[in-house]
Amino acid sequence: MTTLALIARNRLALWGGIVLILVILLALVTPWLPLYPPNATDPSIKNAWFGEEGHLLGTDHLGRDILSRLLWGTRVSLAIGFASAVIAAVLGAAIGIVAGYFGGRTDNILMRLIDLIMGFPYILLALAIVAALGPGLMNALIAVAAVNIPFFARNIRGVTVGIAHKEFVDAAKLAGMGHVRIILTEILPNVVPVIVVAASTTVGWMILETAGLSFLGLGSQPPDPDLGSMLGLAKDSLITDPHVSYPPGLMILIIVMSINLLGDGIRDALDPRLRSGALSRPAAATTVDRRGAAPAFRDEGILEMTDLSTEFRLKRRTYKAVGGVTLAVKPGECLGIIGESGSGKSVTALSVMGLVASPPGVITGGAVYVEGEDTVGMPYRQLRALRGDRVAYIFQDPLATLHPLFTVGDQLVEAIRVHHRVSDKEARAKALELLKQVRIPNAESRIDSYPHEMSGGMRQRVGIAMALANDPEVIIADEPTTALDVTVQAQILSLLSDLRRERGLAIVFITHDFGVVAQLCDRVAVMYAGRIVEEGSTSDILRSPAHPYTKRLIACVPELGEGKRALAAIPGLPPAVDRLPDGCHFADRCPKARDVCRQDDVALMGQGGRAVRCLFPEAEVPGAPEAVPGPPVEAEPITADRVEAAQ
Ligand code: ADP
Ligand code: MG
């Protein structure tokens, strides 16, 4: 969505923008309007009331036309306000970028200077500057710009510090770019939105400050009007003729209000998260738009998905991330979901508890039964009671899921107390117990550690402890070991395996790694482009994969000790889920695909938990078409030219 459209969607910002544009237009055309000269006095009609003697807004104490002075004054006030905003933004941003980018001593010196300016009250400092430079519009402009530089410098420095150590800046340095070029091409584009936002929210303030200086007689000099000086003059006759002060006062109010409303709108629109719609109306649970009745409960497991479909509805496209997934897990069982990145594993998992972000996510069909209760379209209160209590999640990156500012003990206690009314002491005892269960060494002292004080493996153990906190029946683990090294991965897997036996947990284990599946899972479902293409017991699938995709996926797993064997990558890419082909989704990458594969949807065929979605499977599956074994997946040795071709 374009920025303008986003701003316009915010009603208040739209009105602010319209009013501001009108005022600016009015100020621009003022010289051509049939007005009295702004400084022409007429002592015969002093302080005339609105509309008297052809003076629409009356006259002031010297008989000057207020309408004319108001418009000319608005011109001046706007020009000074915007000019000082631009000056303050440019200088402040330059200081901020230099300080943030170079850091160290440069940063220290610049920021201490800025602190020095910030040490004085705003208006007092402006007064001092004008006093030193002498009254006058130009000097007021300089003063207002100067006192606002620290605001920009501080803001921009903060943002720059965050960017200056990002990988793309390091990459630019390694590429041999000079500082100036890095600042201009890498840093500046990233801070411009912040500068614009800071400027748009402070212009109003600067117009007020300029008006303040003029009000005190330090800005615009008589007889030239600006809004502040008009108010200043009107105050002398405030008791007898208050109406003289209304027009400039109202005009200041209108300008500052409209700028602030518009500024807020700009800030919201420039936030990339708002842009994508991710923050616009975050729903507590995924939207459900299920046509037709929910599929019936089959009583095949403690967690049972039937024909679950989830899509992302963006403006022009619909991404069918999950296209009818049917799965079940029994207590004590571990089901693996395996597939390439983007195949819809995470979205399937998140759909179970309505955790897919809405908008844009929508569950469009199917049912998810947790202990026989359908969670699709369940009232939010009920769903919330289930989340974390009956069904818990373990995510890939424990550092991202743990709060950085609380100790792991506090976070565990919180997780427990959300669902159970227990005293702090009991909860803490339980937390300690959990940490011991997930084999955290020295749990007594570790309970007071912060997440950053722990290693990756230890954090993931805490993540698992958190998932266990309320004795859930089902744990959904979304690539919990992907961020860990192999030895830690093995420990975590054996921990999960033990916990499953001890507690009779049902585990849904999502991964892209057949090695992990082999270690932990009883059954496997292979996902491709949002659908299950094969399922069965782990041993069946590893021994005789029936879908050409599964076969190739297994061939991708490196085997230790098989020195000469190189990896067989699957040529091509999975189809984009907004433009799924007819028929078999894998056909384009399948060496055996025939015309019939591309015609109608291929069903998942089989019986007794072993099934395959293929017309010409690689291996015999009862209930599926006859096997037509294709050529063995040849793993070519890695040669120098293949490495080059890959680069
Ligand atoms: P993975 O199997 O790697 O976990 P996901 O379930 O995360 O894959 O994603 C499945 C598909 O859904 C992908 O094609 C992805 O591009 C799409 N997708 C995920 N989240 C969003 C989103 N917020 N907006 C649009 N598409 C999304
Ligand atoms: Mg994922």
Side-chain angles (χ1 to χ4, degrees):
M1 210 183 282
T2 65
T3 310
L4 270 184
L6 267 178
I7 296 175
R9 209 170 56 177
N10 179 340
R11 276 295 143 79
L12 286 173
L14 181 66
W15 280 113
I18 291 176
V19 170
L20 186 65
I21 289 174
L22 285 181
V23 172
I24 292 176
L25 280 181
L26 210 55
L28 286 177
V29 300
T30 299
W32 293 280
L33 293 182
L35 296 168
Y36 291 91
N39 296 333
T41 55
D42 181 355
S44 64
I45 41 166
K46 287 181 188 171
N47 292 331
W49 188 248
F50 299 150
E52 259 174 46
E53 314 244 354
H55 295 285
L56 200 59
L57 294 180
T59 60
D60 69 2
H61 68 294
L62 294 177
R64 295 177 291 199
D65 180 57
I66 291 186
L67 177 63
S68 167
R69 289 179 72 73
L70 181 76
L71 293 183
W72 283 97
T74 303
R75 262 168 87 85
V76 173
S77 290
L78 282 177
I80 300 287
F82 280 103
S84 48
V86 169
I87 295 172
V90 169
L91 292 180
I95 295 174
I97 289 178
V98 168
Y101 177 75
F102 290 103
R105 189 175 303 164
T106 318
D107 183 25
N108 241 324
I109 294 174
L110 285 174
M111 283 303 116
R112 293 305 79 78
L113 285 177
I114 292 293
D115 288 347
L116 209 65
I117 303 183
M118 286 181 104
F120 294 95
Y122 245 35
I123 206 77
L124 209 62
L125 184 64
L127 278 176
I129 296 176
V130 178
L133 298 176
L137 259 186
M138 263 308 137
N139 294 342
L141 188 156
I142 294 172
V144 171
V147 297
N148 280 289
I149 285 177
F151 170 76
F152 285 93
R154 279 246 161 244
N155 258 326
I156 304 300
R157 175 193 170 270
V159 182
T160 310
V161 166
I163 296 170
H165 300 289
K166 286 262 165 72
E167 289 76 359
F168 65 89
V169 175
D170 290 341
K173 282 183 190 154
L174 288 177
M177 284 196 202
H179 290 312
V180 174
R181 204 155 145 221
I182 293 180
I183 286 180
L184 290 181
T185 60
E186 311 285 330
I187 308 269
L188 195 59
N190 284 291
V191 297
V192 161
V194 186
I195 301 177
V196 172
V197 167
S200 62
T201 43
T202 44
V203 177
W205 181 231
M206 295 195 207
I207 289 180
L208 269 184
E209 282 168 5
T210 320
L213 288 178
S214 292
F215 181 83
L216 297 174
L218 297 171
S220 129
Q221 294 302 301
D224 296 325
D226 85 338
L227 295 177
S229 64
M230 285 178 72
L231 261 187
L233 291 176
K235 89 172 183 295
D236 296 335
S237 51
L238 198 58
I239 309 288
T240 49
D241 296 291
H243 66 276
V244 178
S245 62
Y246 297 162
L250 265 177
M251 186 55 104
I252 291 180
L253 180 75
I254 289 173
I255 292 177
V256 174
M257 279 267 286
S258 60
I259 289 179
N260 286 351
L261 290 177
L262 181 65
D264 281 353
I266 291 178
R267 185 195 55 214
D268 292 353
L270 285 182
D271 189 320
R273 287 167 303 172
L274 289 165
R275 231 176 152 70
S276 72
L279 286 185
S280 51
R281 264 165 290 131
T286 311
T287 315
V288 174
D289 178 15
R290 182 162 64 182
R291 302 198 187 97
F297 182 49
R298 292 171 287 130
D299 199 8
E300 287 183 2
I302 186 148
L303 170 66
E304 182 183 299
M305 297 171 222
T306 310
D307 218 10
L308 178 67
S309 306
T310 304
E311 55 189 43
F312 292 96
R313 292 186 182 158
L314 286 121
K315 230 180 163 190
R316 273 176 234 110
R317 298 221 164 111
T318 301
Y319 293 85
K320 295 204 168 97
V322 179
V325 164
T326 302
L327 283 174
V329 215
K330 296 188 180 67
E333 187 182 41
C334 178
L335 169 75
I337 300 183
I338 189 164
E340 277 169 286
S341 177
S343 53
K345 310 178 297 289
S346 297
V347 177
T348 306
L350 293 173
S351 300
V352 169
M353 284 285 107
L355 288 171
V356 179
S358 272
V362 184
I363 296 181
T364 53
V368 178
Y369 289 99
V370 174
E371 298 180 291
E373 261 188 292
D374 188 5
T375 67
V376 174
M378 183 182 260
Y380 175 60
R381 284 173 63 98
Q382 256 172 290
L383 195 59
R384 208 179 92 181
L386 286 180
R387 284 181 185 170
D389 193 35
R390 315 269 41 99
V391 180
Y393 284 84
I394 305 171
F395 293 103
Q396 175 174 342
D397 182 2
L399 198 55
T401 36
L402 294 174
H403 197 299
L405 300 183
F406 291 101
T407 62
V408 296
D410 287 345
Q411 299 188 50
L412 280 168
V413 166
E414 192 191 10
I416 296 167
R417 296 190 59 178
V418 166
H419 290 289
H420 299 279
R421 237 174 236 250
V422 291
S423 72
D424 237 344
K425 218 169 135 199
E426 280 171 275
R428 202 177 149 84
K430 173 110 198 256
L432 188 62
E433 162 96 7
L434 284 166
L435 289 180
K436 286 182 181 158
Q437 274 185 19
V438 295
R439 326 249 196 287
I440 295 230
N442 303 329
E444 283 84 359
S445 63
R446 278 305 189 175
I447 192 166
D448 293 317
S449 301
Y450 289 90
H452 71 268
E453 296 170 334
M454 303 184 133
S455 66
M458 203 118 63
R459 283 198 289 262
Q460 195 54 292
R461 282 164 201 266
V462 174
I464 296 175
M466 216 147 185
L468 293 174
N470 293 300
D471 296 309
E473 266 81 46
V474 182
I475 284 195
I476 299 179
D478 191 351
E479 312 215 22
T481 58
T482 308
L484 307 175
D485 61 61
V486 228
T487 39
V488 181
Q489 167 170 317
Q491 292 166 5
I492 296 281
L493 290 181
S494 80
L495 169 66
L496 279 174
S497 186
D498 293 349
L499 288 171
R500 159 166 77 113
R501 290 213 180 85
E502 286 163 20
R503 296 179 169 231
L505 272 174
I507 297 184
V508 178
F509 195 94
I510 295 173
T511 177
H512 55 254
D513 185 347
F514 258 112
V516 171
V517 166
Q519 279 183 58
L520 185 69
C521 301
D522 309 303
R523 284 193 304 119
V524 189
V526 183
M527 262 190 107
Y528 187 78
R531 287 182 168 180
I532 307 277
V533 294
E534 175 163 11
E535 74 173 299
S537 70
T538 308
S539 55
D540 278 353
I541 289 200
L542 285 176
R543 220 176 315 122
S544 53
H547 199 283
Y549 176 63
T550 319
K551 190 171 163 187
R552 274 161 186 77
L553 210 54
I554 293 176
C556 286
V557 181
E559 278 173 54
L560 285 180
E562 306 262 315
K564 294 259 167 58
R565 195 173 158 282
L567 295 187
I570 307 176
L573 289 172
V577 285
D578 58 330
R579 291 180 302 256
L580 285 174
D582 284 339
C584 174
H585 297 164
F586 186 60
D588 287 340
R589 296 168 83 186
C590 181
K592 297 173 13 180
R594 305 183 192 177
D595 286 345
V596 52
C597 295
R598 298 179 211 268
Q599 279 161 10
D600 297 316
D601 255 3
V602 182
L604 191 63
M605 295 164 286
Q607 48 190 260
R610 176 90 176 100
V612 62
R613 194 188 287 276
C614 183
L615 299 175
F616 309 101
E618 297 282 334
E620 211 54 63
V621 170
E626 209 170 304
V628 186
V633 184
E634 281 297 336
E636 302 157 51
I638 295 178
T639 53
D641 48 307
R642 267 191 72 194
V643 173
E644 237 163 66
Q647 282 168 352

